[in-house]
């Protein structure tokens, strides 16, 4: 974990500044092994550390209710940039920037970008500081570079699991995307949101590969799920209990549409949308997911019923078409 | 599901009485298939129903924070009797009494009780109304019957997953226990809390069987877990985020004891204590669970690290002994 900057000095300063006595530490799965070490830093700064062990998939998932119930006076959220406009409890975001170099991975990506001249760059908050380095390498390799910035996220070129505005805004001007970062999750999101060839430059492994074929497979699977859901007699509409994923009004609108279609509908509130959780409701034929759309897209194989995004449901209800949805991207929260 | 009384009239009356506009329905896994039908009843009574899809293991698990975040004005909690002293949101408990007869199962249990003359009766809230029938059958079979009542739970002879006071209070006066109900969970709790032979009379299957050998296996496994935890260098102390399972002060006391033992310790707050959740913290050698003790006892095989109850931890710390803990029962929350 020496490859990340945990900004330990800033943690200590913030605890001192707020005279925090009890601090809640929240982080995504990849950073959880560091939790006991980070808790020690908080303790040395004079506060009682409590680590959130629950899954954490983004800054949308900020554990404010949990922190309140534990009488915490500061949340330290690691691994994501600020997303919510207001926090009920003082929150320090530690973006955990990567400290390793990206050169080797980007050089490995150059051959995979042969045939594409206009390249869009994208990355997570961990690597936003590397964008200029990546640009220089690719310009030297004869590419034209675009970096989107809708200003909705803190950094140009930044993507998060459910917001690909920065890549969508430049999709028409590029032939392919290069994503700098680890794992397939964000790169698949780019390919699904833009339908463009997407290459990963992975600085952790110093290697590069394409996720374009995998994205095409997901799109085929979504078509099948929509077809199956069109036959449903009873729908379940899922409402997330996570503060940044709770779209109650949207769920109520979907319920109304289903009622107009003269189908049965039931609203379900849920924290973690897991296969076992949905399997408890055997009379529901298909679910509409108003929480994180990535659960529908990336985890379909794990569910034994269709779990549609709201965009996909609009194809079932006739409010949109498959072609139109693909053009707009498979999700837009 | 015709074998349960969902008290549909009382549901309608309570919605009308409170002028409830939005109702949250919560139920344990076994009753979840009924959720869409129960939601329809709420809707017909004039309120918007939202079903909690999250796991629910008891009235300790009342979803008040979730209900608050959805602006709900009534919670209907199915399958458990009231446990919390105060609810932040008006709550209707529907105990879902079983409507089927217990005779066949109890008659099937009589041969398994041969050799025991003094029998303690126990059951869940679903079958408390059957206690007198069971008593009559067993008296006719020549048994002496005891039914414990510490008044901590609403009904004589009642047990819940973590409170076996009613059986413990009569354990010294009986040779064996007969539990009336489905599943092994509560009967295993009786055997673990009292170390007495325990027979299940299962009215759903109309059959009877013993869980005594299985309880003995669990006790052996607990001995092994305590021995393994005694070697731990780093402990994690688990604090539940469920309102009826949150024992923060107890967790802080355990942390202090671990520090006096000159071992490392880190506090973890957690909603669902699952193997995957604990596996994210590889540097922790053993966990102390201040949430529901049954997670430690019944699910040990699923975890790859010891997850001790607080009573078991006191054996590790030297505050108690294995023999003493067995005498008092493996858990007492």
């Amino acid at each position: 974990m020496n490859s990340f900057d945990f900004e330990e000095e800033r943690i200590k300063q913030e605890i001192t500044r707020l005279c925090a006595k009890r601090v809640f530490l929240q982080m995504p799965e990849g950073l959880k092994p560091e939790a006991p070490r980070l808790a020690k830093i908080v303790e040395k700064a004079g506060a009682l550390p409590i680590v959130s062990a629950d899954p954490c998939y983004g800054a949308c998932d900020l554990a404010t209710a949990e922190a309140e119930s534990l009488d915490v006076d500061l949340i330290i959220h690691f691994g994501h940039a600020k997303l919510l406009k207001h926090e009920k409890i003082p929150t320090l975001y530690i973006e955990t920037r990567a400290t390793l170099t990206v050169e080797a991975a980007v050089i490995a990506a150059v051959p995979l970008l042969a045939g594409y001249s206009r390249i869009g760059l994208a990355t997570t908050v961990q690597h936003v500081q590397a964008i200029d380095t990546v640009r220089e390498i690719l310009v030297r390799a004869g590419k034209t570079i675009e970096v989107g910035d809708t200003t909705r996220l803190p950094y140009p070129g930044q993507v998060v699991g459910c917001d690909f505005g920065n890549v969508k805004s430049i999709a028409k001007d590029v032939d392919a995307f290069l994503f700098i970062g680890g794992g397939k999750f964000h790169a698949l999101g780019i390919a699904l949101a833009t339908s463009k060839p997407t290459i990963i430059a992975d600085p952790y492994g110093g290697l590069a590969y394409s996720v374009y074929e995998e994205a095409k497979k997901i799109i085929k699977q979504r078509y099948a799920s929509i077809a199956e859901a069109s036959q449903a007699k009873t729908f379940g509409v899922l409402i997330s209990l996570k503060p940044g994923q709770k779209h109650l009004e949207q769920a109520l609108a979907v319920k109304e549409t289903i009622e107009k279609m003269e189908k049965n509908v039931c609203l379900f509130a849920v924290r973690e949308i897991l296969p076992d959780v949905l399997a408890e409701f055997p009379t529901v034929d298909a679910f509409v997911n108003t929480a994180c759309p990535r659960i529908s897209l990336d985890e379909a194989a794990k569910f034994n019923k269709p779990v549609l995004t709201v965009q996909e449901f609009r194809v079932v209800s006739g409010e949109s078409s498959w072609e139109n949805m693909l053009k707009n991207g498979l999700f837009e929260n």
Side-chain angles (χ1 to χ4, degrees), chain A:
Chain A
M1 289 283 166
N2 290 326
S3 46
F4 293 103
D5 178 6
F6 288 99
E7 301 185 67
E8 300 176 11
E9 270 311 310
R10 195 151 75 96
I11 292 173
K12 287 181 210 166
Q13 283 164 13
E14 192 69 2
I15 291 170
T16 307
R17 191 179 72 82
L18 293 172
C19 300
K21 288 288 157 232
R22 194 173 285 185
V23 174
F24 202 44
L25 293 87
Q26 197 189 15
M27 61 211 75
E29 310 322 280
L31 298 178
K32 281 207 166 78
E34 286 296 292
R37 192 180 67 79
L38 296 167
K40 274 272 173 295
I41 293 165
V42 168
E43 193 144 33
K44 275 189 193 154
L48 177 77
I50 302 177
V51 173
S52 167
D54 288 331
C56 171
Y57 302 110
C60 55
D61 209 356
L62 192 72
T64 36
E66 292 78 358
E68 268 188 318
S69 82
L70 294 166
D71 288 327
V72 156
D73 33 26
L74 171 66
I75 299 175
I76 307 181
H77 186 99
F78 293 88
H80 304 117
K82 179 180 168 77
L83 190 80
L84 302 180
K85 280 197 189 105
H86 308 286
E87 294 95 1
K88 273 170 125 181
I89 290 179
T91 301
L92 173 67
Y93 292 91
I94 300 288
E95 297 176 347
T96 44
R97 300 292 185 90
T99 52
L100 38 68
T101 59
V102 299
E103 279 82 348
V106 177
I107 289 166
V110 171
L112 299 175
L113 295 170
Y116 310 122
S117 63
R118 300 173 307 162
I119 309 298
L121 297 187
T123 186
T124 60
V125 70
Q126 271 76 50
H127 305 280
V128 286
Q129 67 283 357
I131 284 274
D132 286 338
T133 306
V134 179
R135 184 200 302 268
E136 281 169 30
I137 296 171
L138 294 183
V139 166
R140 259 185 275 138
K143 309 294 182 189
T144 307
I145 301 302
E146 297 283 343
V147 179
D149 189 5
T150 64
T151 71
R152 209 160 58 199
L153 292 176
Y155 302 100
Q158 189 194 351
V159 292
V160 302
C162 61
D163 189 337
F164 290 87
N166 282 344
V167 291
K168 287 170 82 165
S169 71
I170 55 167
K172 64 176 191 320
D173 305 318
V174 305
D175 307 314
F177 281 99
L178 181 68
F179 169 77
I180 298 97
K184 291 182 190 175
F185 178 75
H186 293 93
L188 277 173
I190 294 169
L192 293 172
T194 65
S195 298
K196 292 276 177 180
T198 304
I199 310 297
I200 295 178
D202 175 352
Y204 306 101
L207 47 81
Y209 57 101
S210 170
V211 293
Y212 195 37
E213 291 308 314
E214 191 166 335
K216 282 186 195 166
K217 266 189 210 161
I218 291 178
I219 290 173
K220 270 189 201 163
Q221 192 284 323
R222 298 321 296 157
Y223 189 87
S225 274
I226 290 171
E228 191 184 341
S230 301
Q231 308 299 318
K233 286 181 181 137
T234 299
F235 283 89
V237 180
L238 302 174
I239 304 162
S240 179
L241 291 165
K242 302 189 178 194
Q245 295 186 15
K246 191 170 72 179
H247 302 115
L248 182 57
E249 293 308 316
Q250 192 180 44
L252 293 173
V254 170
K255 178 176 185 279
E256 209 176 305
T257 304
I258 294 169
E259 282 163 349
K260 280 185 194 152
M261 293 159 68
E262 297 187 351
K263 310 256 189 174
N264 298 316
V265 57
C266 185
L267 297 175
F268 293 96
V270 58
R271 187 162 296 273
E272 301 296 338
I273 302 176
L274 298 171
D276 285 353
V277 166
L278 301 192
E280 298 288 343
F281 305 101
T283 62
V284 176
D285 303 312
F287 292 91
V288 184
N289 163 27
T290 67
C292 172
R294 298 302 300 270
I295 298 163
S296 294
L297 303 177
D298 298 60
E299 318 219 350
K302 295 186 192 165
F303 296 104
N304 62 2
K305 301 274 177 70
V307 183
L308 303 187
T309 66
V310 175
Q311 277 71 20
E312 291 171 333
F313 168 72
R314 289 191 181 127
V315 177
V316 172
S317 69
E319 297 162 279
S320 180
S321 69
W322 171 252
E323 292 73 22
N324 197 40
M325 186 190 67
L326 274 194
K327 205 174 70 190
N328 292 331
L330 263 80
F331 50 94
E332 184 63 72
N333 267 14

